Amino acid sequence: MHVLIPFDVSPVSERAVTTALDVLSGHDDIHITAIHVSDRESTSAEVAASSIESMASDRGISVDADVRIVEAGTDSKPTIRNVIAETIEERDIDLVVIGHEEKSLFEQLFRSDTSERALEIYEIPVLIVP
């Protein structure tokens, strides 16, 4: 099984990564791709990617953690969603694990949520971690 974990440098993302690693450790033939997509370089993202690989290694899971820099305008969410969709196709992903954080009423009305959009966009199972 090939699992994709999109991550950013946030507690929500960290919970998604930790949950996926805990749930999947001990299963045979598990491979995880963790990606951080940004429109600028980030040292903290590189550190997070290294940390994900280390945590997975401790659990006996193979992980490729990548930080991808993409050109995006003022609204990078569609670009990030496109990169995730391309990764799903390119790497034959079987499951996407993504973190979700409860939003305020204002945020619910005016901002699209990546985890909710993932359910609409991807034609594979999506595990949303609160």
Side-chain angles (χ1 to χ4, degrees):
M1 173 182 276
H2 196 158
V3 179
L4 175 65
I5 308 173
F7 71 95
D8 58 15
V9 184
S10 71
V12 172
S13 185
E14 184 177 333
R15 281 194 310 270
V17 169
T18 303
T19 299
L21 294 176
D22 289 345
V23 168
L24 298 172
S25 67
H27 290 30
D28 293 334
D29 200 27
I30 297 290
H31 182 78
I32 297 174
T33 297
I35 61 167
H36 173 82
V37 182
S38 177
D39 59 352
R40 61 186 176 281
E41 290 192 34
S42 169
T43 303
S44 57
E46 292 290 343
V47 170
S50 179
S51 177
I52 291 169
E53 289 177 343
S54 178
M55 289 188 310
S57 178
D58 292 345
R59 291 168 171 85
I61 300 173
S62 171
V63 172
D64 295 323
D66 299 324
V67 176
R68 296 189 188 175
I69 308 301
V70 295
E71 286 191 31
T74 56
D75 186 15
S76 63
K77 282 192 176 190
T79 303
I80 291 170
R81 287 187 199 112
N82 287 340
V83 170
I84 292 170
E86 289 169 6
T87 303
I88 289 170
E89 280 191 38
E90 290 169 1
R91 299 195 181 188
D92 197 26
I93 300 294
D94 299 303
L95 171 69
V96 176
V97 179
I98 192 165
H100 175 73
E101 182 175 38
E102 192 64 36
K103 305 288 186 201
S104 70
L105 180 59
F106 177 79
E107 289 175 316
Q108 290 176 22
L109 291 173
F110 296 105
R111 295 180 66 195
S112 65
D113 187 82
T114 302
S115 58
E116 291 172 10
R117 295 279 296 155
L119 290 172
E120 298 169 4
I121 296 172
Y122 311 129
E123 296 179 10
I124 61 172
V126 177
L127 173 62
I128 297 178
V129 177

